[in-house]
Amino acid sequence: QVQLVESGGGLVQAGGSLRLSCSVSGRILSINYMGWYRQAPGKQSEVVPVISSGGRANVADSVKGRFTISRDNAKNTVYLQMNALKPEDTGVYYCNADIRTPGGLLYGMTYWGKGTLVTVSS
């Protein structure tokens, strides 16, 4: 089975940094995009950044200039470097990936991690 496992969340003070990791395991043919969503308390889930298999990244305006997404295709891992964290960044961060698997859909299927909690204190 395909699994996405996140790590790196925690509690930091405003202005601090965290680095999130998401590793994909299982039988995989290819991975298209990988990225991160977050859900703040009482708010709807939103895209933070996504990155294509070729390394092109799209970053939400709210985190542009502070967050950097990167990807190691050999390790099937995506990273999110978060700098200058703000209390508004608090939330559960979910890893997301569009993956083609043996016997699966030709155009891929979306998989989700269980999330890692990021808490930014004032």
Side-chain angles (χ1 to χ4, degrees):
Q1 69 281 1
V2 176
Q3 291 186 341
L4 280 63
V5 180
E6 305 102 329
S7 63
L11 173 64
V12 298
Q13 295 181 350
S17 298
L18 285 174
R19 187 173 187 251
L20 306 183
S21 299
C22 174
S23 296
V24 177
S25 63
R27 292 182 172 86
I28 299 169
L29 293 178
S30 63
I31 302 175
N32 185 17
Y33 71 84
M34 304 181 75
W36 295 88
Y37 287 66
R38 70 182 180 187
Q39 186 167 21
K43 295 184 178 180
Q44 188 176 357
S45 179
E46 63 178 347
V47 175
V48 184
V50 295
I51 186 168
S52 72
S53 60
R56 296 186 300 275
N58 291 321
V59 184
D61 290 338
S62 60
V63 303
K64 189 172 295 183
R66 300 187 297 117
F67 291 12
T68 302
I69 189 170
S70 60
R71 175 173 174 171
D72 187 334
N73 290 330
K75 297 181 179 179
N76 291 329
T77 300
V78 63
Y79 306 93
L80 183 64
Q81 179 66 47
M82 305 186 295
N83 298 324
L85 283 163
K86 303 176 180 179
E88 307 93 272
D89 297 319
T90 294
V92 179
Y93 285 68
Y94 298 92
C95 182
N96 168 263
D98 187 68
I99 303 171
R100 293 183 62 232
T101 60
L105 298 173
L106 294 176
Y107 50 87
M109 184 175 176
T110 299
Y111 292 84
W112 293 89
K114 294 182 179 180
T116 184
L117 178 63
V118 172
T119 303
V120 184
S121 63
S122 300

